[in-house]
Amino acid sequence: MISVRDLRKHYQVHKRPPGLKAALRSVIHRTYTSVKAVDGISFEIKPGERVGFLGPNGAGKTTTLKVLSGLLHPSSGEVRVDGHVPRHREDAFLKKIMLVMGQKQQLLWDLPPAETFELNRAIYDVPRAQYKQTLDELVTLLELEELIGKPARQLSLGERMKCELAAALIHRPKVLFLDEPTIGLDVSMQATMRTFIKSYNERNGATLILTSHYMDDVAALCPRVIVIDKGLLSYDGGLDALVQRVRPEKRVVLRLNQAVAADSLAPLGKVVTHDNVTAVLQVPQDAVNATVSRALSSLPVQDLTVENAPLEEVMSELFAESKARREKVGA
Amino acid sequence: MSARSTLRALPTLLRIGVSEAVAYRAEMFVWVLSTTMPLIMMALWTAVAREAPVGPYGSQDFVRYFLAAFVVRQLTGAWAAWMINYEVRQGTLAMRLLRPISPLWSYAAENIGAMPMRLFVVVPVAIFAVSTVGWKSVPETAWGWVFFLVSLFGAWLITFLVNVAIGTLSLYMESSTKLMDVWLALFFVCSGYLYPVDLFPPVWRTLIDWLPFRYQIGLPVELMTNAHGFGDALALLGRQWLWVGLLLVISLGLWNRGLKRFAAFGG
Ligand SMILES: Nc1ncnc2c1ncn2[C@@H]1O[C@H](COP(=O)(O)OP(=O)(O)O)[C@@H](O)[C@H]1O
Ligand SMILES: [Mg+2]
């Protein structure tokens, strides 16, 4: 469905030197520096897959999505989306895809979302009957009934985002690019969006690429993740396998009946946190069983759970790792 | 998008343009207040003409001319340059480019969609003109009406296309709205907005006739007030539409190149 081979996107940034004379000279002779936003990445995505793009700020995620949706021309490399070359922006291509950006809106600001939906119906030439069916479904699933008649500017951020998503789906895109779709939303609204996005993917067999700051989004939605860092692909595979690789240790979380001294915890494993009656230990995977039974026998345990390290932590470790690696190569 | 599906989408685009104009009615009336220059000019020139006619214009002619100028300005307004400039800065142009229709259609529909609202201002002014300075304030013949309406559309197209060209320049440079200010200054001087173009000395007159500005205001005003016979009117319309054609080529050329550059360099 999507195939990307050795994609590079280098932005040309006009460097304006300080000082009037230099500025005047630069009008005639412009000097550009090149920002390597994406620097040679390759991947394939099958129809119906849900893939999460992970990477720190400035990694090149948005740039990649913009190339995939035809807004930016690649500097080099080959990109195909359902057989189309995105940069040609053929109608047939544009009618198959949609890019939703959490920070850019398409809703008409002073009109009710219903008007934007209607506009998109006309622009995408959606047959009336299909439009009605799609709209009914979106209104029900996203609970938009009360919202679509109010001017968009009067909606809260979460309400507006739901309407943005609905507007983006009027033409039932087969390929959906979501760039930080839940940014700034509260936890329950994030969950609503997630559930809906998943059900859209399942009902329509749509292919989906998602970027998000919230690891929960990615964990809930994407069986596969692609990690991009400084324009390079540093991981492509299952989320669980990624966690395994970066942080093979497990966490044993203890809730205790009474406070215990720190030295009674230390022999069990690496103490991550410890306050009074709760403690978190980090232990290698193969030592989990032993640790659990020792904890149960030696400590006043009320409750015990075994967990993976939080995703956020796994990611920051991953990025720190690759940064260190880069610096070593550089030196 | 294919011509047929564009045509099918157009009524909806226009209807939504009208809804937006209704939502923005307060802003529109503020804008109308800022376009009362012809009325001030009318007071000025009729006072001058009270002593003796200025060229072919007596007091009554000036009243007729400037009321028509006010009407024409209302019905030929376009602000796509500011829209494009804003959307380039905000990055929302990208959202429009995702859709299978040229953003230019949306800008045009939005600008034209404002016209019905403006009729609420224009019609009373036209009625006032007829009742004070007579039926010569509006075209007296059927062909006169046709020519007048064609010239209005031509004038709007020139204004809109220049807006597109200047707006597109914001893809190349930081301050394309400064350029718009320059254009507007020339427009005020050369278009017949502040005085009829036949008051220019003959040498200047030739130049003015070749520039696009007078086809934005002067020509529709003259056609509205029955200033030309059939043959002259037709010749002037021909020149106006020559400008429409030329600007169509220039604006679309700039636009397409600008977008390519936008996509190639970053955006
Ligand atoms: N239009 C642009 N012009 C120049 N540089 C840009 C532009 N857009 C993004 N960049 C740079 O490219 C890099 C990747 O940006 P982006 O793709 O937005 O990253 P992400 O979405 O992963 O945060 C960053 O260093 C960013 O500053
Ligand atoms: Mg981004």
Side-chain angles (χ1 to χ4, degrees):
Chain A
M1 176 58 77
I2 297 175
S3 114
V4 171
R5 245 192 313 175
D6 206 21
L7 170 67
R8 270 164 235 271
K9 176 68 196 176
H10 297 180
Y11 291 106
Q12 302 292 317
V13 183
H14 177 208
K15 234 183 40 195
R16 190 190 306 220
L20 183 64
K21 232 165 92 187
L24 284 177
R25 201 174 321 123
S26 81
V27 171
I28 302 154
H29 188 84
R30 291 194 157 210
T31 43
Y32 289 97
T33 47
S34 145
V35 176
K36 298 178 176 173
V38 177
D39 205 24
I41 64 176
S42 307
F43 56 84
E44 303 274 331
I45 294 177
K46 287 193 277 298
E49 263 196 283
R50 296 190 302 266
V51 177
F53 273 8
L54 293 175
N57 262 330
K61 305 180 297 291
T62 301
T63 302
T64 307
L65 291 186
K66 282 185 171 173
V67 170
L68 286 174
S69 49
L71 290 174
L72 291 176
H73 298 175
S75 305
S76 72
E78 249 186 79
V79 178
R80 291 274 185 291
V81 176
D82 201 17
H84 299 272
V85 177
R87 59 171 290 179
H88 295 161
R89 300 184 64 242
E90 299 147 306
D91 289 344
F93 168 72
L94 294 174
K95 286 183 176 181
K96 274 181 201 168
I97 65 141
M98 190 62 201
L99 167 64
V100 178
M101 292 191 268
Q103 280 151 322
K104 302 267 156 67
Q105 60 163 26
Q106 66 157 327
L107 290 178
L108 299 163
W109 189 241
D110 287 287
L111 297 183
E115 293 279 43
T116 304
F117 300 163
E118 179 65 23
L119 183 68
N120 282 1
R121 180 201 62 72
I123 288 176
Y124 286 97
D125 209 3
V126 180
R128 286 269 177 200
Q130 186 194 324
Y131 171 67
K132 197 179 168 310
Q133 194 200 342
T134 308
L135 191 60
D136 285 348
E137 215 174 287
L138 290 169
V139 167
T140 313
L141 288 175
L142 283 167
E143 298 173 11
L144 302 179
E145 197 103 40
E146 314 268 279
L147 309 179
I148 59 174
K150 288 194 225 167
R153 76 183 129 75
Q154 288 175 12
L155 302 176
S156 72
L157 177 65
E159 294 171 337
R160 212 159 64 223
M161 219 35 233
K162 289 204 291 185
C163 293
E164 283 287 344
L165 198 55
L169 300 178
I170 293 294
H171 63 291
R172 291 194 175 263
K174 279 170 75 177
V175 181
L176 190 55
F177 304 118
L178 299 164
D179 194 17
E180 313 268 2
T182 56
I183 197 154
L185 303 187
D186 64 44
V187 175
S188 83
M189 191 62 85
Q190 281 176 30
T192 309
M193 296 280 273
R194 243 176 250 151
T195 315
F196 172 76
I197 291 169
K198 192 165 178 184
S199 84
Y200 180 80
N201 153 269
E202 280 164 355
R203 283 153 164 264
N204 297 279
T207 311
L208 203 136
I209 300 183
L210 169 100
T211 79
S212 179
H213 262 90
Y214 304 110
M215 293 306 156
D216 292 347
D217 283 348
V218 178
L221 281 174
C222 305
R224 173 179 167 195
V225 296
I226 290 178
V227 179
I228 302 176
D229 194 10
K230 287 274 181 324
L232 296 167
L233 195 150
S234 66
Y235 177 85
D236 180 354
L239 186 59
D240 294 338
L242 174 66
V243 174
Q244 284 290 318
R245 199 190 80 179
V246 178
R247 184 66 77 75
E249 295 91 352
K250 292 270 175 188
R251 294 195 162 192
V252 179
V253 180
L254 302 168
R255 190 122 8 98
L256 305 165
N257 283 324
Q258 65 200 62
V260 296
D263 7 333
S264 60
L265 290 170
L268 295 173
K270 186 174 162 241
V271 181
V272 182
T273 58
H274 173 214
D275 68 25
N276 264 322
V277 293
T278 57
V280 179
L281 302 172
Q282 187 164 301
V283 294
Q285 203 141 39
D286 50 14
V288 169
N289 280 345
T291 306
V292 167
S293 55
R294 266 207 287 160
L296 288 174
S297 61
S298 69
L299 296 170
V301 174
Q302 185 184 53
D303 182 37
L304 181 154
T305 52
V306 178
E307 297 170 359
N308 281 324
L311 263 177
E312 320 275 344
E313 226 179 281
V314 174
M315 293 321 294
S316 56
E317 184 164 324
L318 179 73
F319 299 144
E321 230 176 58
S322 67
K323 186 156 170 252
R325 206 167 42 235
R326 259 200 319 276
E327 275 159 8
K328 218 163 75 197
V329 171
Chain B
M1 187 145 96
S2 74
R4 253 187 59 217
S5 30
T6 304
L7 229 64
R8 258 211 305 272
L10 221 45
T12 309
L13 257 66
L14 282 170
R15 190 186 63 65
I16 284 171
V18 173
S19 305
E20 288 208 287
V22 173
Y24 287 127
R25 58 194 173 277
E27 284 88 340
M28 190 200 84
F29 281 105
V30 171
W31 184 79
V32 168
L33 288 180
S34 78
T35 56
T36 46
M37 203 59 175
L39 307 182
I40 296 164
M41 285 306 177
M42 178 174 78
L44 215 128
W45 285 100
T46 45
V48 173
R50 205 162 291 140
E51 315 275 302
V54 184
Y57 291 88
S59 298
Q60 298 244 320
D61 301 309
F62 275 127
V63 171
R64 210 172 281 133
Y65 184 92
F66 284 113
L67 289 178
F70 177 80
V71 165
V72 168
R73 180 89 198 272
Q74 301 306 313
L75 296 179
T76 55
W79 54 96
W82 288 274
M83 293 172 74
I84 297 171
N85 189 62
Y86 177 81
E87 295 191 355
V88 169
R89 301 266 155 281
Q90 296 289 311
T92 42
L93 180 63
M95 297 310 289
R96 289 202 196 258
L97 292 173
L98 286 172
R99 296 168 170 180
I101 188 172
S102 166
L104 296 183
W105 288 109
S106 312
Y107 298 138
E110 207 168 305
N111 284 197
I112 289 185
M115 298 310 165
M117 279 297 284
R118 297 200 171 164
L119 288 177
F120 285 102
V121 179
V122 162
V123 171
V125 170
I127 291 172
F128 173 75
V130 169
S131 61
T132 50
V133 283
W135 282 104
K136 272 193 79 180
S137 305
V138 291
E140 289 175 314
T141 56
W143 69 260
W145 272 103
V146 172
F147 279 24
F148 167 58
L149 293 176
V150 170
S151 75
L152 261 187
F153 187 48
W156 177 81
L157 274 171
I158 291 176
T159 312
F160 177 73
L161 291 170
V162 167
N163 263 270
V164 168
I166 293 178
T168 304
L169 289 178
S170 54
L171 293 168
Y172 297 87
M173 53 201 261
E174 250 111 293
S175 51
S176 73
T177 49
K178 292 252 163 53
L179 231 106
M180 196 65 201
D181 293 342
V182 174
W183 173 274
L184 278 177
L186 287 169
F187 164 84
F188 285 128
V189 175
C190 306
S191 67
Y193 188 57
L194 303 181
Y195 35 79
V197 289
D198 40 355
L199 295 185
F200 271 106
V203 189
W204 281 95
R205 190 53 211 282
T206 317
L207 179 67
I208 296 295
D209 277 348
W210 283 108
L211 292 176
F213 307 103
R214 72 154 301 190
Y215 303 101
Q216 292 183 271
I217 297 281
L219 180 63
V221 169
E222 291 151 24
L223 291 176
M224 184 169 167
T225 54
N226 307 286
H228 299 291
F230 186 89
D232 283 350
L234 196 62
L236 284 165
L237 269 185
R239 285 199 196 180
Q240 183 191 41
W241 282 81
L242 224 59
W243 268 111
V244 171
L246 189 66
L247 286 169
L248 203 64
V249 173
I250 295 174
S251 303
L252 293 187
L254 268 175
W255 172 257
N256 287 331
R257 277 191 54 150
L259 288 188
K260 273 214 190 85
R261 211 184 101 103
F262 188 56
F265 275 67

